[in-house]
Amino acid sequence: MIRSDIPSSLESKVSNVHPAWLPAEAFRAIGSRPSLVHGAGMLIDTVRTEVGQAAARYGGSTAAGGEDAGAGPVDLVLALTGAPERPNAEAAAVLAQFHDDAPGAAIGDEGFLLGRRNGVTVVLADHPAGLLYGLFQLVRLGEAAFGPEPERAVEHHRPAVARRMVDHWDNVDVHPVMGQVERGYSGGSIFWRDGGPLGDLARVRAYARLLAACGVNAVSVNNVNVHGTAVRLLTDRLGDVAAIADELRRYGIRVHLSVNFASPVVLGALPTADPLDPEVRAWWSDAAARVYRAIPDFGGFVVKADSEGQPGPFSYGRTHADGADMLGEALLPFGGTVHWRAFVYNHQQDWRDRSTDRARAAFDHFAPLDGEFGANVVLQVKHGPMDFQPREPLSPVIAGLPRTRLAVEFQATQEYTGQQRHVCYLGPMWSEVLGFRPWGADGATVADRAAGGDLVAVSNVGDDPYWTGHPLAQANLYAFGRLAWDPRADPIRLLDEWIDLTFARTATADPGPLRDTLHALMDGSWRSYERCTAPLGVGFMVRPGHHYGPDVDGYEYTPWGTYHFADHDGIGVDRTRATGTGFTGQYPAPWSDVYESLADCPDELLLFFHHVPYSHALKSGRSVIQHIYDTHFTGAAEAAEARSRWERLPAEGVVDPALHARVLERLTEQVRSAEEWRDQVNTYFFRKSGVPDARGRTIF
Amino acid sequence: MIRSDIPSSLESKVSNVHPAWLPAEAFRAIGSRPSLVHGAGMLIDTVRTEVGQAAARYGGSTAAGGEDAGAGPVDLVLALTGAPERPNAEAAAVLAQFHDDAPGAAIGDEGFLLGRRNGVTVVLADHPAGLLYGLFQLVRLGEAAFGPEPERAVEHHRPAVARRMVDHWDNVDVHPVMGQVERGYSGGSIFWRDGGPLGDLARVRAYARLLAACGVNAVSVNNVNVHGTAVRLLTDRLGDVAAIADELRRYGIRVHLSVNFASPVVLGALPTADPLDPEVRAWWSDAAARVYRAIPDFGGFVVKADSEGQPGPFSYGRTHADGADMLGEALLPFGGTVHWRAFVYNHQQDWRDRSTDRARAAFDHFAPLDGEFGANVVLQVKHGPMDFQPREPLSPVIAGLPRTRLAVEFQATQEYTGQQRHVCYLGPMWSEVLGFRPWGADGATVADRAAGGDLVAVSNVGDDPYWTGHPLAQANLYAFGRLAWDPRADPIRLLDEWIDLTFARTATADPGPLRDTLHALMDGSWRSYERCTAPLGVGFMVRPGHHYGPDVDGYEYTPWGTYHFADHDGIGVDRTRATGTGFTGQYPAPWSDVYESLADCPDELLLFFHHVPYSHALKSGRSVIQHIYDTHFTGAAEAAEARSRWERLPAEGVVDPALHARVLERLTEQVRSAEEWRDQVNTYFFRKSGVPDARGRTIF
């Protein structure tokens, strides 16, 4: 069922779509040289086509290996170690050095070697995917891959995390409230439209190419809330999924599918979806077999069960392990994986009840099940215990289930971070999470923990001409992929890398001012956004439903479990063991004690863990109330400064006028919104506390 | 174009629709007697058919007048004074007495005389509509119309207000947010569905019959926000309106149409809708002529212009008088009327700006135009200055434009009063408004002011089997019609009248407990609802958008101009001339001074006009904060008591089990909601003020 025709061009031919981090110019260094590509197979064909396209554009040449190999001097060799073609001498030298440096080491499934010998740049891989990723490493290096020195020490690149996944919350049918893409801020879906496939497979291919270029190798193509037509993607609409898989496969990306736990009832007309019922298990096994006949490299199922109204094993008195393992068993013969989401909590909480704590829910549900999940079940957990707020502590689930495979979920779509109307570069936040050490300074990092599992991001991509609504939001998708490949990468270096690929190489004038401006706008934008919004980790002071813009009490008296408990004396949620909900006890030492202690708890999470008076002195020396005022004045001023910088950019030769206008329009909205956050939050707390701003600034 | 076929039956034959205040039983007294109907014409045919149907059911008889007249003894005569048939002797005596008592007086266009002579009950009217209304007066009287005494003094009934109108905010196309009926809580529209006519003309006729029975004589059939297909009701979809008009006409009801001010541009392809442009004026004249060719008794246009995003004359630098008069001129040759809504305000207000006051807006816009509106232009103004809150002062527009015809608009659909999930009998509120004397104790009432204009209610009716969602919400539509006919009627007597017609006459068991229960549930339900919601007239503590349930700060930082300004010290909006927005100055004396004075301002409107500390002592002796706590505890307790009373009703013979269940389900929701109001409002103000409840009750 896998399509075997080779496309003549793999570059984005999609009209009116921004090339993002793969402008043609990014291939100039490769395309202007003679090169060899050794090896055979679909992904090697992809590499060969990419190199050939670049050569056609920039005057280089490429040979296919085999009889051509060594026919003339080449500057670049991309080769599979096991390819039958006669190895190029420089490639052999690179491989030899690698084996000398790391005796017995494998290059790895997706890894590659990159070196330079005798003026020839060499990329070697054991497997085709490695060669593809090596090609994109060359793209990033540009001319630097080709000298000026004739030698370059061999580098061994391989991903820290085996599965680097993007989840689309794209609906097949337009949802009456959520639209075509749930929490999507980039137009429609690139996969679906009005109940069927969008049918723009060229766009899907262009997307796959971008994902591969930043290291992503898995995509889930539909929303985890699976309704209507989407339920049937598993059965009679499977062809729609297979068509997408055919495009993604060319770039080493496997397709995953969100499924409805009640599918045996909805689709199979069974009386139950009980995971221990033999007929139900047989139904899922058959379903899995059918999927693999259509998509032999299918990745697996993503499941949101017993959460926010979705069906799940609780309906049948079964555990989440029962449910997940049933699906795992169905997929196991075919090498598929279950991503079982840990986002399970009571969304009909009584706001009067201060003992129920949504932050506790995932750990309370899942920690007792540790060890019960099958080997191909991955528990997918949001990185924080709540829901992608600008500041949260780490989810204790990540430290709490040592015998369970984990996928740590990030949110590239900016639901709570400005909805792609605001610049908010999330790389630093994700980097902080990945580098966090849940077991203390001598323990492993979150990235170490995820290495045996997956990293996942909720997509921020749509059918928008810039892919992501805000053109600068492309950086979040790029940074996610790159951090998933190498969690220790400096997110600011990745930002500069993205700026270079996306903007600087195509500039016809001096790109310096643009680099500086983009860097200045983006490097601190997450912390600036944090300053604009809910203070000190308390979260959720947003408009209910759409989550854009401030509403301090918006969720305070709702069933959603997201409260700040501000009164005339103070604010914050007491989650201590001593006097609160006991959530701090879900962490291992030392964090269980650090967070428990009012003295030790980091300022930025203070109100997540403690209820304190407005007069409470922070480590910064300021009172809580003054911190609220100061940060909101600062946040708004920073937004204004960002717009001002963008306006000062040179008018010509640096950035496309349409993109300049789009960014300016969004920065203007960001300024307006930051002022709204400033004034609403400050006014709310001034009215409530009666404490004036120490600096006498305007509070309404 | 008027259909002339006479339906064989005018009773509601609509399946599964509740008969409301016209159960067959209500016609027993009429139907069980021999009667005469004198006169000819469509409405007389309607009367004759009604009487004939009743006679067929209950064993009476009816003669058509003419040769039959006096053929035998009759108990009832309904006759036009000008009918060519030989007058019945008793009818002649009734007419003679009327002329003796009120020399030179006319019975009036819609008036009737009702008397009894020699054991014969007589209804006389100058015009057919009067006979129709006389028939329904007989229905209300039941057996009391027929004795036991043989004589009954002549009563002269005629409506205080000439046009008694119901406006439907029904959309032709389903609106993505507002649905088929904007602010509708009774299912779909009885007129429209999914972009076209619903086509259930039997239902429309049943509706017309109910409206006539309570005195309504005009209906606007589409939402004042006129979009999409609805715009074209004026032109190529006019037939859909004519079909409705054909049904309503049989019960003396004229059809009105909401039109889009930009119609000449949207429909006519003109480059402008400037009301002073000759082509635009010609376009409207042609449009009006076309409408009257299709609907000769068409009532006129309803227009919401320059309001909440609707187009209007401001776009062309013209006044609202320019706009309204242009339409008035187009309708004048045909006897049509323009209802021009005064609901014009800045809905993109900056919440930081305390000088802008939405309450001022209608007066500020329209008072300067007094005297400029044509004779067939009616300025339609909501009864309060804001938007149908449970408690508002009177709109100063009602006193402020002495030379302008006014329609006072009420809202039967319970947007802010429980959305027909809650019992909230609005008769007492409307009665209070109608009896209010804007110029002081010696001046005219609002009803007097409206007598030269119209009373209008926004409909609460939909395709729900009980018409109004909550079965008891029928009483609001009934009371509106009856109060529009006679604004001095006691709303509690009207409530009992409605209970009698709707429930008591059809009871097979003793209706006493049901009467008592319904009376107890409903008579104080508006004030109870007021206790549950925003205190002391401040208003708008509701969930944004849908307006159901509490959200104290929901509108506090929005552009809608609806604020309470609560801080840690106090609450309320300073609308005084001395220190506030000056709104009090829009009233004539004495109210301009009463409202200005903190000492004189009535408690129930205190926070509408003044910002006071929580400790401020009300006339009741309680502090504001204690009043907030007390009323919210009381309101919730009253809701619980109402449900409890309903549950204690005898199980059989009194009320249909399905209706009993529907009411019980809604009372249960009302209890839940009242508790939510109690706890959210009390908690909000306790947190903000820090003042504990003097009685130590639970506040969360």
Side-chain angles (χ1 to χ4, degrees):
Chain A
M1 301 279 282
I2 297 182
R3 278 170 34 184
S4 59
D5 55 308
I6 304 299
S8 60
S9 168
L10 292 166
E11 272 183 46
S12 172
K13 285 288 186 289
V14 188
S15 60
N16 296 320
V17 177
H18 189 256
W21 49 88
L22 289 182
E25 193 65 30
F27 287 81
R28 178 183 289 276
I30 296 168
S32 56
R33 293 181 160 77
S35 60
L36 280 181
V37 178
H38 280 198
M42 187 180 56
L43 291 183
I44 302 298
D45 288 337
T46 299
V47 171
R48 189 169 282 124
T49 307
E50 289 279 0
V51 173
Q53 270 173 187
R57 184 186 298 264
Y58 293 109
S61 65
T62 185
E67 65 275 24
D68 293 339
V74 294
D75 289 353
L76 170 62
V77 174
L78 295 124
L80 280 189
T81 54
E85 294 86 355
R86 185 157 55 89
N88 171 290
E90 286 75 15
V94 165
L95 194 59
Q97 191 202 324
F98 172 65
H99 285 308
D100 288 350
D101 292 350
I107 302 177
D109 284 353
E110 298 177 306
F112 60 90
L113 304 179
L114 194 153
R116 186 163 162 82
R117 283 291 175 275
N118 261 334
V120 179
T121 298
V122 175
V123 176
L124 291 172
D126 285 343
H127 299 283
L131 219 55
L132 181 69
Y133 293 121
L135 170 70
F136 288 119
Q137 177 67 8
L138 290 177
V139 169
R140 279 187 288 274
L141 290 170
E143 281 299 329
F146 300 98
E149 301 305 318
E151 309 291 311
R152 181 187 178 102
V154 175
E155 298 165 7
H156 181 203
H157 293 259
R158 52 181 176 177
V161 177
R163 185 157 21 220
R164 305 166 304 277
M165 186 167 178
V166 169
D167 280 6
H168 282 254
W169 288 354
D170 296 17
N171 295 313
V172 179
D173 306 309
V174 175
H175 187 277
V177 176
M178 293 298 175
Q180 191 79 66
V181 181
E182 179 162 339
R183 310 304 179 187
Y185 314 105
S186 310
S189 166
I190 59 170
F191 298 129
W192 314 107
R193 185 174 194 166
D194 292 338
L198 174 65
D200 185 356
L201 293 174
R203 179 87 183 236
V204 172
R205 186 176 305 174
Y207 181 50
R209 190 168 174 256
L210 289 171
L211 290 179
C214 68
V216 169
N217 67 355
V219 166
S220 175
V221 296
N222 64 312
N223 189 1
V224 288
N225 295 312
V226 187
H227 299 294
T229 307
V231 181
R232 293 159 49 213
L233 294 178
L234 182 61
T235 52
D236 55 310
R237 301 295 287 262
L238 188 54
D240 300 339
V241 183
I244 296 170
D246 287 342
E247 298 301 334
L248 298 182
R249 180 179 298 118
R250 297 183 189 291
Y251 283 91
I253 296 167
R254 292 171 80 177
V255 156
H256 296 244
L257 190 65
S258 294
V259 297
N260 186 309
F261 190 79
S263 292
V265 177
V266 179
L267 300 170
L270 295 190
T272 177
D274 180 351
L276 299 193
D277 182 282
E279 279 197 86
V280 171
R281 299 175 81 85
W283 190 91
W284 279 109
S285 289
D286 290 350
R290 276 196 312 273
V291 171
Y292 279 89
R293 279 196 293 276
I295 309 167
D297 58 347
F298 180 71
F301 297 146
V302 181
V303 188
K304 177 177 177 179
D306 292 317
S307 172
E308 297 182 330
Q310 292 296 304
F314 285 168
S315 310
Y316 308 99
R318 309 303 184 187
T319 71
H320 278 246
D322 293 332
D325 288 344
M326 167 190 67
L327 296 178
E329 203 171 282
L331 291 167
L332 196 63
F334 311 101
T337 301
V338 179
H339 286 88
W340 190 269
R341 291 179 87 241
F343 188 56
V344 178
Y345 69 100
N346 175 9
H347 69 288
Q348 297 184 320
Q349 186 178 331
D350 188 336
W351 59 268
R352 302 165 184 83
D353 166 21
R354 289 211 189 187
S355 67
T356 302
D357 181 0
R358 172 168 162 178
R360 292 188 57 119
F363 186 97
D364 283 343
H365 279 296
F366 287 95
L369 300 177
D370 190 32
E372 296 185 19
F373 292 103
N376 64 334
V377 172
V378 178
L379 188 65
Q380 183 165 326
V381 56
K382 298 188 184 200
H383 66 86
M386 298 296 281
D387 192 14
F388 299 132
Q389 298 305 292
R391 175 71 71 175
E392 293 188 37
L394 189 76
S395 167
V397 170
I398 293 170
L401 286 87
R403 291 180 291 168
T404 302
R405 282 179 67 189
L406 285 188
V408 178
E409 184 180 297
F410 296 119
Q411 193 184 41
T413 192
Q414 293 170 234
E415 178 177 359
Y416 294 97
T417 51
Q419 302 194 352
Q420 284 131 262
R421 296 194 233 178
H422 298 204
V423 177
C424 186
Y425 175 55
L426 296 166
M429 175 166 77
W430 298 335
S431 178
E432 228 179 82
V433 171
L434 292 166
F436 187 81
R437 296 180 187 274
W439 296 273
D442 299 330
T445 64
V446 170
D448 296 334
R449 178 69 182 87
D454 305 355
L455 287 176
V456 176
V458 181
S459 169
N460 61 354
V461 158
D463 69 0
D464 173 68
Y466 296 101
W467 295 95
T468 51
H470 201 310
L472 305 188
Q474 292 176 3
N476 286 325
L477 185 58
Y478 185 80
F480 166 73
R482 299 283 290 133
L483 283 168
W485 181 282
D486 178 10
R488 283 171 302 185
D490 174 2
I492 302 303
R493 190 182 61 70
L494 294 177
L495 170 64
D496 289 335
E497 183 178 290
W498 173 80
I499 292 171
D500 176 60
L501 285 167
T502 306
F503 293 101
R505 294 200 197 174
T506 55
T508 56
D510 171 21
L514 179 64
R515 281 183 199 272
D516 294 347
T517 298
L518 286 171
H519 188 103
L521 253 68
M522 298 175 73
D523 71 339
S525 56
W526 162 53
R527 286 178 191 275
S528 184
Y529 196 80
E530 182 188 15
R531 282 187 276 273
C532 285
T533 54
L536 301 166
V538 76
F540 274 105
M541 293 179 175
V542 294
R543 291 265 148 202
H546 60 69
H547 301 163
Y548 185 76
D551 188 345
V552 178
D553 268 4
Y555 275 103
E556 194 59 17
Y557 303 96
T558 72
W560 294 97
T562 50
Y563 314 119
H564 55 65
F565 300 125
D567 61 22
H568 67 294
D569 280 330
I571 179 174
V573 188
D574 184 351
R575 291 192 163 105
T576 64
R577 302 188 287 289
T579 54
T581 68
F583 171 67
T584 59
Q586 292 187 343
Y587 289 90
W591 295 106
S592 57
D593 298 323
V594 169
Y595 293 144
E596 177 81 6
S597 160
L598 186 56
D600 296 338
C601 183
D603 277 357
E604 71 268 18
L605 290 170
L606 183 72
L607 302 182
F608 194 94
F609 288 105
H610 298 274
H611 186 94
V612 299
Y614 294 118
S615 59
H616 176 84
L618 296 170
K619 294 180 177 55
S620 69
R622 285 186 296 204
S623 67
V624 165
I625 189 75
Q626 194 57 42
H627 173 93
I628 293 173
Y629 297 152
D630 288 350
T631 50
H632 287 83
F633 281 113
T634 302
E638 287 169 343
E641 170 59 17
R643 181 179 60 179
S644 167
R645 280 200 74 126
W646 186 253
E647 285 174 326
R648 292 198 304 269
L649 263 186
E652 304 227 329
V654 179
V655 62
D656 174 66
L659 186 142
H660 187 277
R662 169 82 74 103
V663 171
L664 182 59
E665 160 236 313
R666 301 216 167 198
L667 288 170
T668 299
E669 166 58 15
Q670 184 161 3
V671 170
R672 187 206 62 75
S673 181
E675 289 171 354
E676 200 63 36
W677 276 97
R678 176 194 66 197
D679 293 337
Q680 284 197 33
V681 172
N682 287 348
T683 299
Y684 178 98
F685 285 103
F686 172 61
R687 286 190 187 172
K688 204 151 202 171
S689 70
V691 180
D693 173 36
R695 294 173 55 191
R697 291 162 292 194
T698 301
I699 297 179
F700 294 89
Chain B
M1 302 280 284
I2 297 182
R3 278 171 33 185
S4 59
D5 54 309
I6 304 298
S8 61
S9 167
L10 291 166
E11 271 183 46
S12 175
K13 285 286 186 289
V14 187
S15 59
N16 296 319
V17 177
H18 189 256
W21 49 88
L22 290 182
E25 193 65 30
F27 287 81
R28 176 183 291 276
I30 296 168
S32 54
R33 292 178 160 80
S35 60
L36 280 180
V37 178
H38 281 195
M42 185 180 57
L43 290 183
I44 302 299
D45 288 338
T46 299
V47 171
R48 189 171 283 121
T49 307
E50 288 279 359
V51 174
Q53 271 173 185
R57 182 187 298 265
Y58 293 109
S61 65
T62 185
E67 65 273 27
D68 293 338
V74 294
D75 289 353
L76 170 63
V77 173
L78 294 125
L80 279 190
T81 54
E85 296 86 354
R86 183 158 56 89
N88 169 292
E90 285 75 15
V94 164
L95 194 61
Q97 191 202 326
F98 171 66
H99 285 309
D100 288 349
D101 292 349
I107 302 177
D109 284 353
E110 298 178 306
F112 60 90
L113 305 179
L114 195 153
R116 188 164 160 81
R117 284 291 174 278
N118 264 334
V120 178
T121 298
V122 175
V123 177
L124 291 171
D126 286 342
H127 299 283
L131 220 57
L132 181 69
Y133 293 122
L135 169 70
F136 287 118
Q137 177 67 7
L138 290 178
V139 169
R140 279 189 287 274
L141 290 169
E143 281 299 330
F146 301 99
E149 301 306 317
E151 308 291 312
R152 180 187 177 102
V154 175
E155 299 164 7
H156 181 203
H157 293 259
R158 53 180 174 175
V161 176
R163 184 157 23 221
R164 306 167 302 279
M165 185 166 179
V166 169
D167 280 6
H168 281 254
W169 288 354
D170 297 15
N171 295 314
V172 179
D173 306 307
V174 175
H175 187 278
V177 175
M178 294 297 176
Q180 190 78 68
V181 181
E182 180 163 338
R183 310 304 179 187
Y185 313 105
S186 309
S189 167
I190 60 169
F191 298 129
W192 314 108
R193 184 174 195 167
D194 292 337
L198 175 64
D200 186 356
L201 293 173
R203 180 87 184 236
V204 173
R205 186 176 303 172
Y207 181 51
R209 189 168 175 257
L210 288 171
L211 290 180
C214 66
V216 170
N217 66 355
V219 167
S220 175
V221 296
N222 64 311
N223 190 1
V224 288
N225 295 313
V226 187
H227 298 293
T229 308
V231 182
R232 292 158 50 213
L233 294 178
L234 182 61
T235 51
D236 55 310
R237 302 294 287 263
L238 187 54
D240 300 339
V241 183
I244 296 169
D246 287 342
E247 298 300 335
L248 298 183
R249 181 180 297 118
R250 299 184 187 290
Y251 283 92
I253 296 167
R254 291 170 80 178
V255 156
H256 296 244
L257 190 64
S258 294
V259 296
N260 186 309
F261 191 79
S263 292
V265 178
V266 179
L267 299 170
L270 296 190
T272 177
D274 180 352
L276 300 194
D277 182 282
E279 279 196 86
V280 171
R281 299 175 81 87
W283 190 91
W284 280 110
S285 290
D286 290 350
R290 275 196 313 273
V291 171
Y292 279 88
R293 279 197 293 276
I295 310 169
D297 58 349
F298 179 70
F301 298 145
V302 181
V303 189
K304 177 178 178 180
D306 290 318
S307 172
E308 297 183 331
Q310 292 296 304
F314 285 167
S315 308
Y316 307 99
R318 309 303 184 187
T319 71
H320 278 246
D322 293 331
D325 288 344
M326 168 190 66
L327 297 178
E329 204 170 280
L331 291 167
L332 197 62
F334 311 101
T337 302
V338 179
H339 286 87
W340 189 270
R341 291 179 86 241
F343 187 56
V344 178
Y345 69 100
N346 175 9
H347 70 288
Q348 297 184 319
Q349 186 178 332
D350 189 336
W351 60 267
R352 300 166 186 82
D353 167 20
R354 290 210 189 188
S355 68
T356 302
D357 182 0
R358 172 168 163 178
R360 292 187 58 118
F363 186 96
D364 284 343
H365 278 296
F366 287 97
L369 301 176
D370 190 32
E372 296 184 19
F373 292 102
N376 64 334
V377 172
V378 178
L379 188 65
Q380 181 164 326
V381 57
K382 299 188 183 199
H383 66 85
M386 298 296 281
D387 193 14
F388 300 133
Q389 298 304 292
R391 174 71 73 173
E392 292 189 38
L394 188 76
S395 168
V397 171
I398 293 170
L401 286 88
R403 292 180 291 168
T404 302
R405 284 179 65 189
L406 284 188
V408 178
E409 183 180 298
F410 297 119
Q411 193 184 42
T413 192
Q414 295 171 233
E415 178 177 358
Y416 294 97
T417 51
Q419 302 194 353
Q420 284 131 261
R421 297 194 232 177
H422 298 205
V423 178
C424 187
Y425 175 56
L426 295 167
M429 176 165 78
W430 298 336
S431 177
E432 229 179 79
V433 171
L434 292 167
F436 187 82
R437 297 181 186 273
W439 297 272
D442 298 330
T445 64
V446 170
D448 296 334
R449 179 69 182 87
D454 306 354
L455 287 177
V456 176
V458 182
S459 169
N460 62 352
V461 158
D463 69 0
D464 173 69
Y466 295 100
W467 295 94
T468 50
H470 201 310
L472 305 188
Q474 292 176 2
N476 286 327
L477 185 58
Y478 184 81
F480 166 74
R482 299 284 290 133
L483 284 169
W485 181 282
D486 178 10
R488 284 172 302 186
D490 174 1
I492 301 305
R493 190 183 61 68
L494 295 177
L495 170 64
D496 288 334
E497 185 178 288
W498 173 81
I499 292 171
D500 176 61
L501 285 167
T502 306
F503 293 101
R505 295 202 196 173
T506 54
T508 56
D510 171 20
L514 179 65
R515 279 183 200 274
D516 294 347
T517 297
L518 285 171
H519 188 103
L521 252 67
M522 297 176 74
D523 73 338
S525 56
W526 162 53
R527 286 176 191 276
S528 184
Y529 196 80
E530 182 188 16
R531 283 187 274 274
C532 284
T533 54
L536 301 165
V538 77
F540 274 105
M541 292 178 176
V542 295
R543 290 266 149 202
H546 60 68
H547 301 164
Y548 186 76
D551 187 346
V552 178
D553 267 3
Y555 275 102
E556 194 58 16
Y557 303 96
T558 71
W560 293 97
T562 51
Y563 315 118
H564 55 64
F565 300 125
D567 61 22
H568 66 294
D569 280 330
I571 179 176
V573 188
D574 185 350
R575 291 191 164 105
T576 64
R577 302 189 286 290
T579 54
T581 68
F583 171 68
T584 58
Q586 293 187 341
Y587 290 91
W591 296 107
S592 56
D593 298 323
V594 169
Y595 293 145
E596 177 80 7
S597 159
L598 187 56
D600 295 338
C601 183
D603 277 357
E604 70 267 18
L605 290 171
L606 183 72
L607 303 182
F608 194 93
F609 288 106
H610 298 275
H611 186 94
V612 301
Y614 294 118
S615 58
H616 176 83
L618 296 171
K619 295 181 176 55
S620 69
R622 284 187 295 206
S623 67
V624 165
I625 189 75
Q626 193 59 41
H627 173 93
I628 293 173
Y629 297 152
D630 288 350
T631 49
H632 287 84
F633 281 114
T634 302
E638 287 168 344
E641 170 59 17
R643 180 179 62 181
S644 167
R645 280 200 75 127
W646 186 255
E647 285 174 326
R648 293 199 302 269
L649 264 186
E652 302 227 330
V654 178
V655 63
D656 174 66
L659 186 141
H660 187 278
R662 169 81 75 104
V663 172
L664 182 59
E665 161 234 315
R666 299 213 172 202
L667 288 170
T668 299
E669 166 57 15
Q670 184 162 2
V671 171
R672 186 206 63 77
S673 181
E675 291 171 352
E676 198 63 34
W677 275 98
R678 175 194 67 197
D679 292 337
Q680 285 197 33
V681 172
N682 287 348
T683 298
Y684 178 97
F685 285 102
F686 173 60
R687 286 191 188 172
K688 205 151 200 171
S689 70
V691 180
D693 173 37
R695 294 171 56 190
R697 292 162 292 193
T698 300
I699 296 179
F700 294 89

